[in-house]
Amino acid sequence: MLKKRGAGVLLHISSVPSDYGVGVFDDNVKKFIDKIADMGFTYWQVLPFNPLDGANSPYCSPSAFARNYLFIDPKQLADIGLVNEDDVKGKYIRRFPLHGGLRICI
């Protein structure tokens, strides 16, 4: 039985702003977690972020343990030497297509 009530936020990782047009696990996610904690929220509920099936659904994924590669931060890959800086350069999206280029503050 729960002894303490808690409130939460539902936000898919793809909805977190990033330089790549889809949210990635980067500093923006850490800022989001800190922000909702400061606001008194206890939980961050996420939707599945495993690979998509043939119909682009994460709910019937070919793997329950793998993660979708779109949510990997290319900058972090470069920082640990798995890709070089040239692979990461020029892959940024300067305008977010879904909200007309407005900057979102986290």
Side-chain angles (χ1 to χ4, degrees):
M1 177 141 189
L2 291 175
K3 303 216 186 250
K4 182 180 173 187
R5 293 178 65 150
V9 174
L10 170 63
L11 179 75
H12 193 263
I13 188 68
S14 64
S15 298
V16 177
S18 80
D19 292 330
Y20 306 102
V22 64
V24 295
F25 288 101
D26 63 358
D27 288 336
N28 287 328
V29 170
K30 294 174 187 172
K31 291 176 189 174
F32 174 72
I33 293 169
D34 290 340
K35 184 76 152 182
I36 63 173
D38 291 344
M39 295 169 67
F41 289 101
T42 311
Y43 305 104
W44 174 24
Q45 181 179 352
V46 296
L47 299 171
F49 39 83
N50 47 331
L52 305 176
D53 68 356
N56 291 327
S57 172
Y59 297 101
C60 190
S61 177
S63 174
F65 302 105
R67 297 295 169 242
N68 192 328
Y69 64 89
L70 292 175
F71 304 139
I72 298 171
D73 183 13
K75 291 179 196 170
Q76 290 180 8
L77 294 178
D79 289 345
I80 61 175
L82 293 177
V83 298
N84 61 37
E85 290 293 331
D86 293 335
D87 293 333
V88 177
K89 255 185 229 175
K91 305 291 191 246
Y92 304 111
I93 294 178
R94 295 290 175 221
R95 256 184 117 210
F96 297 105
L98 300 179
H99 54 77
L102 300 174
R103 294 298 295 175
I104 296 176
C105 298
I106 294 183

